[in-house]
Amino acid sequence: MQLALNDNPAAKAYQEAIFKQGQPAVMFFTDDVKGDYERIKAKGGAFIQPPTEATGSTIAQLNDSCGNLVQITQLARW
């Protein structure tokens, strides 16, 4: 994966619309979303949603500083 500024006008409009809708550009799965949240936040990560319970999972979202949302997800263990 490469994070880079988007200088394509058509792609930038799409990226901004997706961001405004709160739709993540990428999602990573983890076994410890709260621990990852604390670790990333301590290093300056800009979270827009702290760890939050959702149906069957706990999720957190952060701004990647290039105009995308990144979601980290921990699936519930039954």
Side-chain angles (χ1 to χ4, degrees), residues 18-62:
I18 293 298
F19 187 92
K20 286 179 187 175
Q21 291 177 357
Q23 183 175 346
V26 66
M27 180 181 357
F28 297 103
F29 290 91
T30 179
D31 290 326
D32 184 11
V33 72
K34 291 178 183 175
D36 290 339
Y37 167 81
E38 293 298 336
R39 181 177 52 80
I40 296 167
K41 187 175 174 185
K43 292 184 180 204
F47 279 85
I48 64 158
Q49 179 181 2
T52 304
E53 298 290 324
T55 303
S57 64
T58 303
I59 62 172
Q61 290 185 343
L62 66 143

